[in-house]
Each structure stands twice: as C-alpha cells, then as structure tokens.
Amino acid sequence: MATKPAQGNNVSKPGVKRMRWATQRVTSVRAQGKRNAITNRFHRGGHVAEKKRDSGGTDSGDGSNLGGMGRDTSDIGGDPGRNNDDTYPPRRMFFNMPLPDDVRDTDGRPIAHFTRNKIRTSKYTPLSFVPKNLWYQFHNIANIYFLILIILAFFPIFGASDPGLNVFPLTFILFITAVKDAIEDWRRTVLDNELNNTPVHRLVDWNNVNTSEDKISIWRRIKKASTRGVMSVFGLWRRKKKDRSMGGKTYTERALDEPRASVETRRTNRDSVALPRDSVEEEGIQMTPVPSPLPHTSRGEDFMSGRNRSNTGFSYEDSELPNGAFNGSLHEDLKDHKKSINIPVKFHGSLINPLKQIPEKARFKKDFWKNVQVGDFVRIYNDDPIPADIVILSTSDPDGACYVETKGLDGETNLKVRNALQSGKKGKHARDCERMEFVIESEPPHANLYQYSGVVRWRQHDIKKPEEDGTDMAEPISINNLMLRGCSLRITEWVLGVVIFTGEETKIMINSGVSTRKRSRITRELNWNVVYNFMILLGMCIVSGVVNGVTFGEGNHSFVFFEYGSIGKTPALNGFITFWTGIILFQNLVPISLYITLEVIKTAQAFFIYSDTLMYYEKLDYPCTPKSWNISDDVGQIEYIFSDKTGTLTQNVMEFKKATVNGVPYGEAYTEAQAGMQRRQGVNVEVESAKAHKQITLDRIKMLEALRKIHRNPYLHDEELTFVAPDFVADLDGAAGNAQRIANQDFMLALALCHTVITEKTPGDPPKIEYKAQSPDEAALVGTARDCGFTVLGRSQDGIFLNVLGEEKEYKILNTLEFNSSRKRMSAIVRMPDGRILLYCKGADSVIYSRLKRSEQAQLRRDTAEHLESFAREGLRTLCIAQRILGEDEYQTWNKEYDIAAAAVYNREDKLETVSDAIETELTLLGGTAIEDRLQDGVPDTIALLGDAGIKLWVLTGDKVETAINIGFSCNLLNNDMELIVFKTEDDTIVSAGKELDKHLAKFNITGSDEELRAARKNHEPPDAGHAIVIDGDALKLVLTEELRQKFLLLCKRCKSVLCCRVSPSQKAAVVQMVKVGLDVMTLSIGDGANDVAMIQEADVGVGIAGEEGRQAVMSSDYAIGQFRFLQRLVLVHGRWSYRRLSETIANFFYKNMVWTFVLFWYQLYNNFDGSYFFDYTYILLVNTVFTSIPVGLMGILDQDVSDKVSLAVPQLYRRGIERKEWTQTKFWIYMLDGIYQSLICFFMAYLLFSPATFVTSNGLGLEDRERMGVYVACATIVVINGYILINTYRWDWLMVLVVTISTLLIWFWTGVYTSFPSSASIPFYMAGAEAYGQLSFWVLSLLTIIICLLPRFVCKSFQKIFLPRDVDIVREQIRQGKFAHLDQEESPSQVSENGSSADSANSTKPGNAGHAKPQLSPDDDTRPIYPPSVTATGTTHNPRSQNGSDGTDYTGHRASLEQPPPRISLDRPRPSFERLRQSMDRTRPSFEASDDFTSAAMLTRVESSHSQTPTQRMPHGSSSLR
C-alpha cells in the first residue's frame, strides 16, 4: 500500500549506515583484508545464536533499522558482521528526475559510483598471470624453502656442483601448478564471459542520471586489449577457417541494434523480437547458452493468442474463465454484495506522471549483462536468468505477481512468489518508463538473501488538476518486491523492473566464495612431524658446522696438505658456511615434496569417489561429488555421525495418509514406523503387512468408486491417490449426518484455500493439474483436496478459483499470513462467495491448541489430540486445522493495522507478526492431518552397518518425539533390548535438569567428573547397546549450558543411540561442536536442507543429500550424495581406504627420506663434515622426483588391503580408523628408526668393502673414489627403499610390481647412460656406471645390503601376522581360503534400486550414460510390502530379536505397562487402520501417559488458549510439521 511520508518512514535515518564493508568495494589490500576478516568471523560464529525467519524466509533478530537490516542472520548466510560506521550512507536512485545538489560534484556528475555489472571470478588476466601466479605459489612455505636452496646453490662457496640442475625440481613443480591454475582459471574466464555477455532487454535512448560515462584508464585499456587478443587467438584456433561474413553487419551487431517493441496489455508476437534458440545456434552467436526467453515458433498461434494462459498458473481473466463456468451472474452477485457492505477501496497511486512531456524515443534493446547499470529499466522474460538485483515494477499478471526459481541462489527448487510494487503496476511500455518520476531510497548492499528494506517516493499528480503540485507518496519495498541475481523467472511472461544493485554488490556475489576451508586431522598432525624432521636437519647442520669449524681451527689434520686454505679464513666463518652447505646437502630430510604427493593422492581419491557407479543416484542423475578434496582421510576416522531425519533418513516426498475431522479419524495406511512398533511388540510384521495392504487395496477401489459417484472429477488420477478413506467419502456424502458432512467440507475447503501453491495445468484427456509449493507438505495437502473434489484451478486477480464437487467458485483471498519458524503456522483470510469472511489457520498442534476458544470443544480437543498422537506414533507428520469467522467491521479495523505494519520500513516483520497474532485467536478446531515421509531405501541396512563398524549415529530433527522414536525403531536406531531414556525436566530450570542428569548418570555409576571425561576421550569402544536417550529442544537448551554440558556429554557417551527432537539449526551445530570438542573425535554431519547447513559446516566432514527441497546443504557440504544409503560406501569403503593409504604413504615417505639423508650424513664422519657430496648431485635431485616417488605415490592411490565388498561385509575393520591406529606418533618414530638402521647398513656395508683394500677394473682403473663408491651405495639404497615400500604394500598387482621394478631399474639405467657421455657427467663421474657394473662386488654387495636391510622388517611383519594378527590379517587369510567368495555373486548393499531390485556392479548405470537409462517404475507405495530391516551380509551375521518388554517410549522400569488392557473397539463403523493402531498402542499407553511425554494427547488437552486473551504473547519453542 502506498503511504504518505508523514509517517516518518525515512530510510536514511541515522543508524542504518552499518554495512559499508559490503557497499564499497575498495581495492586496497587493507579493505580486502577487512572484508576477509569479517567473512571469517561470520563463519566462526555463524551458528551460535538461534534465529527465526520471517514470512519470506527472513531471519528477524534484534534489529531496529530498516526492518531488521542490523540483525544477525548468520545461520542462513546472512550478513557476517556490519560495521557501525557512518562513512557510507544508504543509496538513493533517481528516475527521470534531475539530481539534487547534495548528490552531485562540482562538475555536475553523481558523487556515488556504483560497481559495474561485469563480474570476474577468475584470478588472472593474460598480463597478470605469471607474476600473480608466482606470488600465490610462493605463499607456500615449501616453495620458499626450495627457492632458498636454489639461491644458496648458486654460490660456489656452499659447494653445489651443478646449480642449474637444482632449479629443475622447483621449476617442474611451479610449471605443473601453473598449468593446473591456468586451466582452472581459463574455465572460470570462459564462464565469466558467457555470463557477462548474456542478453537482456534494457531501456536505451533515455537519460539514466544515476551513472556517468566511465573514464577508462590506459592500464585498463591495455588489459582489455590483451584479453581480447588472447580470446581472438583462441577463437581462431577453435573456429574453422571459413568466411562467416553475411554482408554488412554481423548477426550480433544487427541483434544488438534491433529495438525491442513495447509490450502491450495483451500478449504480442515475440517472434518479431528475436529468433528462437535453434536459429541463434545456427548463426554461431557467441553468447551464454541459457534458455531462450522467447518461445519456439513451433508453439504457433496458440501461444501468441493467449489461449494457453491457464498453463502459466496465473490469474484468470473474465474472458478466460475455465470451462466457461463463470458467467456474469456470479460476478454481479459479488459486486452487489460489495456495494451493500461498503468495502473501502485502497488507493495505491502510480509512479507514472501523466503530465510529463516525453520525447518517446526510449526503447527496449537487447544488450549484454555487463552493460547493465544501477538505475536502468530492464524487461525480463519467462525462463530468463536475472542479471542484477531488480525491484519489480510490473508483471504480465494483472495482480502483479511473478514466480522465481532460486535454485541458483540458495539451492531451493521450489518456486517463490514475488510481487510488483502497487504503484508501478500500470507501467508496461517504454513510454511509461519515460513518464515515471520517482526516487528509490535503499539500504546498502548486504549478504542476507532473505531481507531487504527500501522505499520508493514519488509525487502523485491528478490529471484533472494539472496546476497543482501533487501529493507526496511513498511505498515500502521488501524482499518480496525484489528479484535477485542468480534466480530465474518462471511461468511469468514478462517482468518490468529497475536495477538497484549490480555486479559485486549483488547479494549472490557478496555471498559467493565464503565457505570455510577444512584441513584433515592427518594434515594438522603432519605439520608437527615436519617440524621434528626440520629440527633433526638443524641438528645435523649444526653438528656439521661445529665439527668442520673446529677441525679447520686445529690445523693438524691431513687435509691441510691437500687444501689451499679454507674459504672462510676463520673457524667460525667456516662453520657458518658449512651449516648452509649442510642445508643444501641434507635438504631431502624435510619432505617438502610430500605435500605435493599428498595433493596428487587426494585428487585421485576424489576422482575414484566421483567415479564410483555404486554411489550414483540414477533418479536425479547424481553421482557422489567430492567438494573438498583434501579431507578424504578424515572420512576414514569418523566416530560420530549426526543426521537429520526429514529428507535424509526419509524421502521428503510427502503423502497425505490420514486425517481427523470433527473427532472422527479417517485414512488407511501401514507405515514403516508402525511396522517397527509392532515388531518390537512381537507381532509378525510380514503377515500383518500383507493383511493391511490387502485391506488398503480394497478400500482404494471402494473410495475411487464413491468419489466418482459424488462427482466425476476430471482431475482425479487413480495412481496419485494417497488418502485412502472410503468412510470419509461416505461422510462427505452425508452418511454420518449433515453435521459431519459440513465438517468434512469445511476441512477440505481449509486445505484448498490456506496455501500459497502455484497451479500448473497440463491439457489432456483427462487434464492434469500439478501444484508447485514452497514445501512438500503444502503440495500434499492441496493435492488431497483436489483428489477429494475440492480442486484448486488457479488464481484470479485477488482470489482463488475452486472446483468444489463439480461447481466452480471464486474465493477472494484478502490476506495471507505466511508461515515462518517462529509463528509455526500460516493463515489465509478469505471472503466466501456468500460474503462471509473466514480465517483458516493451519500449524503445529501446540500452537493451534493455544489459540482455540476457551471452554469450547472440550471433547473434540481430546479426541483430536488422541488421534494426532496415534498418527505421530505411526511416524506421520501432523498438523492442526482451525478456522474463525470474522465480522466485517472487525476485519476492516484489523486490516488497517495490517496495512500500516506492511507499509512500515522499520521492524516490518516484527510488526506484521504482532498484528497477525492479534487476529489468529478464538479459533474453532476443524481437525488434523497426517502426512507420511517414507524411509529412503537402504536406511535400516546402512544404520545397522555403521553401528557394526563402531560408529555412533545421532539423529537431530525438528519433528515430534513420538515420530522420531517410531522412525528410530523402523530404521534400526532403536531395538527391543534398549532401555529408552526420555530426558525431561519438571520446570525447565538448570537445577532440575542437573538433577535429572545426575539421576541417569547414577545408572552408569558415573558423576560427570573431569577424570571420567579424560577416560571417555581415550575410550573409542562402542557403548553398550542397552540404552538410548531421547531429548527435545527445550531440555537440550538447558543441558547445553556450561554447567551441564559435560555431564550430558558423558551420559550420551554411554548410550547406543541419541535422538534430539524439536531442535533448531543452531542447536544442531551446538550438539556437533559439543561432541567434536568435548570427546576429541571425528564427526560427520549429513542433511538435505538449509536448516542442516550449520551442523554440516561445524562437523569435520559435512555430507549433503541432493534432496527434494533444494541443494542448500549440498552447496555447503564437503561431499554430496543422492541417498543416505550411499553413506556406507563413502565411509566404510572409500573413507577407510583413503585413511589407511595416506597413513602408510606418509610413514613410508618419512622413512625413505631418512634412509637417503643419513647415508650422506654417515659419509660426513670421514671428511670432517666439510659438506662434500657422497653421491653425484643428480642423485640428490632425482631421488624424490623419479627414483622413489612413484611407488610410494601409487601406494597412496591404489593400495588395497581388502576389496570393497569385504569392507562392507566386515564393517568392524573400520574401527582402526576410529581408534586412529593407522597413523600414530609411535608409528612415525618406528619408521624413522627403521630408516636410520637401514642407512647404517647401506653406508657401512660399502665402507667395510672399500676400507681394507682398493680394487680396480679389468683395465686397471681404480674404483676407490667417492663417485664410484657412491654408485655402490646409491643403487643399493634405492632398491632397499622401493623393496621396503613393496613389503608395506598390501596389494601386489601387476601395476604395483611393474612400477617398483621400473623405479628400481631406473637408477641403474640413469647411472649407466648419464655417465657414458662426457658432456653430461662431470669428469670424475665419467664411466662410473660401466666400471661399477662390471664388478662382481657391486652385485654381491647390493644383494647383501638389500637382505640385511629388509630382513628385520620382514621378520617383524611375519611375526605380527602369525602370532599377533590384526583383524584385517585374519580377514585376508579367510579371503585366500575362499570364505568370502560368495560376495562376488551377491549384490552389494548399495545396489538397491528404486524398485527394490538390485543390479550387478558391471551393469550399474554410469553417470555418463544416465541419459540413456530406461526409467524403472516403482510399485505403488501402499501395495509395497513392509519388510523387516535386513542385515547386511557380514562375516558373522547375527540378528537378535529378543523381547524384553520395552515399550519403546520410556525406560523399561515400567513393568506395569506390560499389563495389557482389553482392546478398545470403535462403535460407529469399522476403521481397520485406526483400530489396528489402537490395539498396538494399548500395550504402551499406560507407561507413556504416566511418563507425561512431550506432546501426548494428555498434554495437548491441558494446553490453555493463552492467545485468546493475550494475542501478542509469544509461544515457547514448539514443533512444527511445516518446513
């Protein structure tokens, strides 16, 4: 609503200038550092506080400026931190108005400078690549270390024999890294160019006063010229050499010159504007391959004439009423009624100045995104991506609505509704844009995707009174009036808007690239091992320097007869020079190349994970996608997994199953949770399942027949019916009396009217209507109303068209009070066809019950609460439905307050929530709904398998306790042998929570002391399977305080399973942090929605599931998978392999460097530590790059102790990773000592050979010089190192043996060839290879050295495997005995397809062939049998199903609960599903009621209608089935 500015809603009030860091993109280093610091602070503290979202998804915390612009929205990707700095005020944009003096400089140009819309995500340009890439690479300390060594080598004083060769390793590393960076950056550059050159229709030939001509500097011209040159060369190289000229202007030039005709009020032929995509591709236009905004010509005249308008889901007009149902009488009746009740008409005003004289030269022209500027008018067409952040002025819909898909922005695939400004709806043509005169006062750019506040101001002129100045008017702008860059326009023909943020200031760019970088645990520990080696290196160099200095100082040694004085002249200087010489000589001791090797290994492991076809989800065409390549070894050490429930363990495909209306339950269903509940009661689930599904099939047929007798619903499709309730249809037809019939009709009307879904109608016979909703629950509710005859056909300008049992009616939607996480409900205020005003409200049971009329419907409340509890026990998600009849005066009075709140610029969301609370009181209960979210395939198997591996799984969900408990039983988290601890407090105080903790800790004989915590950190054994704990969000808030956190952690440590219910996103992250830090364990979080992002980022490893709600979790994760069941393969196979491979690779890398370096050190004992080289310098350079690096690298990439099938069959093998036994400091020092021992053998075996005598070749040449002795030692040492690596390798396949053999032969080949050429080898080294190879002593010495070096390792490993075997050794022996041969014929647990069948791994669908895969039809969910949780084939399969009397709701101390009362039978008519559930519940109800559980029927019936007298009082945190 447009309001006058007298209300004081001035956006530029003091205190709102708090986001300057995001407003001005200062290019200085200081400014960039400040932005990075703020971003980092955001990631460190983004999940601390619990937040709430407004109706548009906005967090609304404690903020007062501009509707909450100063609020902390960190848990949804909001503003990381806002400076309270007045340097940069909010921006103002002027349209068709001269700039005021205060916003112009002395030259008359605008003072404010806005960023260009051209974005560049690439790091380099052709000119800056070399210096900038080198600068980045030398941020790596390893490269700096290498550079220092090269510089030292160029000084002859340090004794480097060939400084040129010393450059080779670093040059090679820099070159390979530069090539990789260039390829990655080139791809980014290509994508940037495609994006920047995407076409958009922009208004031209008018004056945008907000920007001035850009002055392009000389340096920028040079950069642009160089970039164009490189792009031209690349384009010429790719294009075929043929003349593409078409005479005159090119296609691109002509397309850019082509004006865009103004869009009339009716649809125009868009073929005249631009060619279809096919034509564009034929002409070879170099533009972004985005979907064309224009329809293909094949759609023909039907599209152009607007006859398919209903397909867009938009408003019906009078000439387009469906099926011709709406004749004039209905509208006349409505008009007469409106006149009789004197409904006030709102005046919104218009931005168009009808008195303004215009030249009428402006036109919409196709231009590039990069040319869009702040203040431009743009027109967006259907399926177009949004080029910048745009305020919507008008749309093709008469009501000003449009729909955007935000998948590219926040990952959510559901369409969002956005609305045009009321004052801008009349603007449609270019000439209208010229006549608009207004000012937009906007808040500065910030990162919050879900919040925006601004105001548009204009002067309203009366064409009848042109002499008057007009009236100042204003209209607020919210996030609902904004289309953000990164979104796409959907099912809307066109949108006209103005640009407010461009380029780096758009919200998507501010939010881009802010994910935290995780480092694996081994990498963190590895730094200390490198430090240890560096300390050893310093010690060796200090010893060399001191000994050499002292020796030269003494002067009575034999070298004085051969040396012509020392280089340093003084002993101290000699020692100093020798120190740096030692740094060069022993450089390989610090394994700098280890980091490069690990990067290569982790890249290969990420590729293997991505290429695993057994983790490929065909339905979504989605493989397992590693997003963080450097933490694969962490996946092999996971001890705790934290999982969301909805969409993670379940499918997040909602199906309406049951309902309770006016105290009568309806619906037939047999859920997995119900099967789990019966299973723990000893019921034969297979028999019960078959019986239930047979009954459901019969009832489905009966219900369909009854529905078609009442109304031949053309939109009812048999296969889509999920609500099987023939008694509901009978009551809808009046079988149970008129009162129940009316109640059922009102219930369905509430489902059909209280929503925000979008309709999409597919013509056909019969026609089909699909609903696009912001949550799957809402689509399921509206879909069920459609199946029962209350079909939502579409929306009119201000209402909804329904087909009610064959009669089509229009219901005017007066207000929609949308759902958010703090309200936990949504409402719609509707004017009925008879003129009444009704408020329909749906929400969480506790929220609705607190708003019911006092002292009314007592019996109905009890019955409904009991039904809802029974539904929840079946694992169904429940909602309550209520209504209220409003008087005309009451509504008009409230609506004025609502309009004022909606027009507020400050605290708009809070004000709207307060006003909404005032009307959502005195409700009348209609009933409740129950929706099933089925378990994903393979979830029970996966959880059981992870449990066998020693991994503890915690479920963190926002659902009810009953729902979570029953899902826990159905998916193997809970079993009959467990004592279920339901943690609850009496008065919600820390004292009572502490007492409750102490009571439960006493069961385990612990008190929660620091000593017990230290013991718990060292104990990685899985807890006893006898206990599980369930806690809700309110109690969790208490136990997470500093005083109780440690006790709660130790209690959970003793429990096999932990279920946290009704928790917020921040609480999820707090729980993960508590376990990760408190127990010092590796954690993994897995989820599918935006509410899981906090815990995904908090955990050591975050896994996102590409679910139905969107990809927000996927975008924030380290690994993305399609289904929960793939987690077992990711963790137990690839994670375990990666951890074991890297651990062995690192140990062997340290070992080989130790052997090689200490051989050189032992030689220094006999030359006074003068730093002379024992080997030829090429050996030192090539030992880590050629001779030994490939075998150890291949070990890290391909080594395999057991196969993937055995890893899943024996999950206990994973426990070594949990206990971190593969990589320990003890193992590090053992390998180091082993290296020292072997270096002694390698050197002193040759020393003992050469020391007693000298020997010569056959032609009399001596072999006693150091180069030839070095050949003896070097060749044997390389063979020993490679042989040692081979011994430590589990898998001796042909590739590994071949690589080791080639690497071993390579040193002999290099020595023989290199020494044969005088030009390449130094004079003393010439022919050293041939002379050494010709001696029998060389081969005998090599053989003896190899045997003596490797014999201790061989003996120790043999003794360990024979007398002290590990689990993997036993399993490997069993594999050789053929005990696991059956796995080659059995299916893998991950190979379960969507229809329950399996496929051999050889026939698994590969990602590349996904497009050719034939779809497989899954059986109907209601007829699919419920199988008991199967047990994955293991080495020792065991599946106990004992019955100890556990009721699954409280701990088993309630033996009285085993007394079963007689079953209660409903007296009205048979209801098989409800009676079956009541009989199951009768076994557990006494103890459950006695325990006063969280949301039982007893609790709901005691809820007071607190909001009937205190409308604005906030309810405590509760649960909600709405997402």
Side-chain angles (χ1 to χ4, degrees), residues 753-932:
L753 293 174
C754 186
H755 59 80
T756 59
V757 303
I758 305 166
T759 59
E760 284 191 356
K761 182 177 178 181
T762 303
D765 189 17
K768 188 175 182 180
I769 287 184
E770 294 182 354
Y771 300 113
K772 303 293 183 181
Q774 297 191 26
S775 73
D777 305 69
E778 197 168 51
L781 296 175
V782 180
T784 297
R786 173 200 59 200
D787 295 340
C788 293
F790 295 76
T791 305
V792 178
L793 300 175
R795 293 182 180 269
S796 64
Q797 184 170 350
D798 55 359
I800 295 180
F801 289 113
L802 294 187
N803 185 310
V804 180
L805 299 176
E807 181 182 359
E808 294 183 342
K809 301 179 180 180
E810 180 184 11
Y811 296 81
K812 183 176 181 180
I813 306 299
L814 301 177
N815 304 89
T816 299
L817 312 179
E818 296 185 358
F819 168 84
N820 65 52
S821 58
S822 62
R823 284 168 36 79
K824 301 187 180 303
R825 63 192 181 279
M826 80 159 291
S827 301
I829 302 178
V830 184
R831 186 177 295 279
M832 309 299 284
D834 58 5
R836 293 181 303 151
I837 300 178
L838 263 65
L839 179 145
Y840 290 107
C841 185
K842 63 182 179 183
D845 47 16
S846 59
V847 175
I848 299 299
Y849 266 64
S850 67
R851 286 166 171 74
L852 298 178
K853 284 184 179 179
R854 286 178 175 269
S855 305
E856 292 188 13
Q857 299 180 299
Q859 183 62 40
L860 178 59
R861 290 193 196 191
R862 286 192 291 270
D863 293 342
T864 303
E866 179 181 334
H867 299 159
L868 291 177
E869 181 187 349
S870 67
F871 297 160
R873 289 177 179 274
E874 292 184 79
L876 302 177
R877 298 156 59 90
T878 59
L879 281 177
C880 272
I881 310 295
Q883 72 176 18
R884 177 185 177 185
I885 300 177
L886 301 176
E888 186 67 39
D889 295 337
E890 178 186 12
Y891 168 73
Q892 295 298 339
T893 301
W894 173 87
N895 192 46
K896 291 179 181 178
E897 298 295 327
Y898 181 84
D899 288 340
I900 294 174
V905 177
Y906 307 113
N907 300 324
R908 182 184 304 161
E909 293 80 16
D910 291 338
K911 292 178 180 178
L912 284 174
E913 189 167 331
T914 301
V915 173
S916 299
D917 281 343
I919 198 70
E920 293 170 326
T921 58
E922 299 293 326
L923 300 178
T924 301
L925 182 64
L926 294 179
T929 64
I931 296 176
E932 181 183 17

Side-chain angles (χ1 to χ4, degrees), residues 972-1271:
N972 284 351
L973 269 177
L974 307 176
N975 59 50
N976 296 331
D977 298 328
M978 287 184 177
E979 177 180 328
L980 194 61
I981 301 174
V982 179
F983 191 94
K984 57 186 180 297
T985 58
E986 296 179 358
D987 52 4
D988 291 336
T989 63
I990 294 180
V991 175
S992 61
K995 292 179 180 179
E996 188 74 12
L997 277 175
D998 293 335
K999 181 182 72 173
H1000 294 303
L1001 287 172
K1003 298 178 181 179
F1004 304 98
N1005 297 321
I1006 58 177
T1007 60
S1009 62
D1010 294 339
E1011 292 77 11
E1012 292 167 344
L1013 179 62
R1014 284 192 288 268
R1017 285 189 170 196
K1018 298 178 181 179
N1019 180 20
H1020 299 282
E1021 290 295 323
D1024 182 64
H1027 295 85
I1029 186 170
V1030 179
I1031 186 171
D1032 79 334
D1034 293 331
L1036 186 64
K1037 182 169 57 178
L1038 299 175
V1039 298
L1040 287 179
T1041 58
E1042 191 67 31
E1043 302 93 317
L1044 304 180
R1045 183 185 306 153
Q1046 181 170 314
K1047 291 184 178 181
F1048 178 66
L1049 177 61
L1050 290 173
L1051 175 62
C1052 294
K1053 170 76 175 174
R1054 297 300 184 99
C1055 296
K1056 178 71 174 179
S1057 300
V1058 177
L1059 281 73
C1060 300
C1061 309
R1062 293 177 168 181
V1063 292
S1064 65
S1066 59
Q1067 286 180 318
K1068 291 182 179 182
V1071 171
V1072 175
Q1073 185 186 41
M1074 175 190 70
V1075 176
K1076 181 177 72 171
V1077 177
L1079 296 178
D1080 188 28
V1081 294
M1082 300 298 295
T1083 58
L1084 181 149
S1085 294
I1086 179 170
D1088 74 314
N1091 60 331
D1092 303 317
V1093 170
M1095 73 171 183
I1096 285 176
Q1097 293 180 339
E1098 180 62 40
D1100 295 289
V1101 178
V1103 178
I1105 292 183
E1108 301 292 334
E1109 284 198 0
R1111 303 292 170 88
Q1112 182 78 352
V1114 166
M1115 293 191 296
S1116 304
S1117 65
D1118 303 305
Y1119 293 88
I1121 58 179
Q1123 290 273 277
F1124 181 84
R1125 67 177 185 268
F1126 299 142
L1127 187 64
Q1128 61 176 320
R1129 189 168 180 86
L1130 175 64
V1131 173
L1132 301 183
V1133 177
H1134 292 283
R1136 196 183 70 84
W1137 281 350
S1138 298
Y1139 172 58
R1140 203 204 61 76
R1141 288 167 176 170
L1142 281 175
S1143 301
E1144 201 64 38
T1145 296
I1146 293 171
N1148 282 271
F1149 215 101
F1150 280 113
Y1151 149 80
K1152 74 182 184 68
N1153 285 7
M1154 182 65 68
V1155 174
W1156 183 262
T1157 306
F1158 266 84
V1159 167
L1160 296 174
F1161 184 75
W1162 303 136
Y1163 172 69
Q1164 302 302 309
L1165 295 174
Y1166 300 96
N1167 62 2
N1168 298 317
F1169 290 91
D1170 64 356
S1172 58
Y1173 289 80
F1174 182 46
F1175 305 131
D1176 183 75
Y1177 194 63
T1178 59
Y1179 285 169
I1180 298 176
L1181 295 179
L1182 298 178
V1183 63
N1184 269 337
T1185 56
V1186 177
F1187 297 148
T1188 61
S1189 61
I1190 300 180
V1192 73
L1194 197 64
M1195 169 194 282
I1197 295 175
L1198 296 178
D1199 191 25
Q1200 191 179 109
D1201 52 357
V1202 295
S1203 68
D1204 55 342
K1205 293 181 179 179
V1206 176
S1207 296
L1208 294 175
V1210 191
Q1212 292 80 4
L1213 294 175
Y1214 187 82
R1215 295 189 180 180
R1216 280 188 65 83
I1218 295 176
E1219 298 169 358
R1220 304 172 200 164
K1221 290 185 176 180
E1222 293 291 349
W1223 174 250
T1224 62
Q1225 294 304 308
T1226 302
K1227 180 176 183 177
F1228 166 76
W1229 288 112
I1230 289 176
Y1231 274 71
M1232 294 285 282
L1233 292 176
D1234 209 352
I1236 293 176
Y1237 159 75
Q1238 294 186 24
S1239 68
L1240 286 168
I1241 300 300
C1242 289
F1243 176 78
F1244 284 101
M1245 285 290 289
Y1247 174 79
L1248 294 176
L1249 175 66
F1250 279 87
S1251 62
T1254 59
F1255 32 114
V1256 297
T1257 63
S1258 58
N1259 56 3
L1261 296 177
L1263 296 174
E1264 67 277 6
D1265 60 283
R1266 66 176 178 87
E1267 280 85 1
R1268 281 147 183 82
M1269 183 179 176
V1271 173

Side-chain angles (χ1 to χ4, degrees), residues 1331-1498:
E1331 294 168 0
Y1333 296 164
Q1335 302 302 309
L1336 179 62
S1337 60
F1338 172 82
W1339 303 105
V1340 174
L1341 177 70
S1342 298
L1343 180 61
L1344 290 175
T1345 301
I1346 294 169
I1347 293 175
I1348 297 174
C1349 285
L1350 299 181
L1351 186 60
R1353 165 63 59 164
F1354 180 79
V1355 171
C1356 291
K1357 289 184 76 72
S1358 300
F1359 179 83
Q1360 177 265 315
K1361 292 181 182 298
I1362 295 173
F1363 298 103
L1364 302 172
R1366 298 170 183 163
D1367 292 342
V1368 69
D1369 300 323
I1370 298 174
V1371 171
R1372 283 168 60 86
E1373 187 174 346
Q1374 291 177 340
I1375 292 174
R1376 294 188 64 84
Q1377 295 171 355
K1379 294 185 178 181
F1380 289 91
H1382 63 282
L1383 295 178
D1384 295 331
Q1385 287 79 37
E1386 291 184 2
E1387 61 179 285
S1388 170
S1390 295
Q1391 291 173 256
V1392 182
S1393 61
E1394 293 306 307
N1395 62 353
S1397 64
S1398 62
D1400 188 79
S1401 60
N1403 298 324
S1404 298
T1405 305
K1406 299 181 178 181
N1409 299 329
H1412 305 288
K1414 295 181 179 180
Q1416 299 179 358
L1417 298 177
S1418 59
D1420 183 43
D1421 285 336
D1422 286 328
T1423 60
R1424 184 173 65 179
I1426 303 293
Y1427 298 103
S1430 58
V1431 179
T1432 305
T1434 62
T1436 57
T1437 301
H1438 180 59
N1439 185 23
R1441 287 191 174 89
S1442 61
Q1443 306 294 328
N1444 67 345
S1446 171
D1447 56 19
T1449 56
D1450 212 334
Y1451 49 85
T1452 53
H1454 299 295
R1455 292 299 173 186
S1457 66
L1458 298 179
E1459 301 176 2
Q1460 302 174 10
R1464 297 171 293 171
I1465 305 299
S1466 177
L1467 299 178
D1468 48 0
R1469 69 160 81 79
R1471 303 178 189 275
S1473 178
F1474 187 65
E1475 299 300 342
R1476 180 169 58 247
L1477 179 63
R1478 293 180 72 173
Q1479 293 178 28
S1480 299
M1481 289 175 58
D1482 285 335
R1483 304 187 179 196
T1484 63
R1485 181 173 298 282
S1487 65
F1488 193 86
E1489 295 291 351
S1491 67
D1492 187 22
D1493 205 51
F1494 298 101
T1495 56
S1496 63

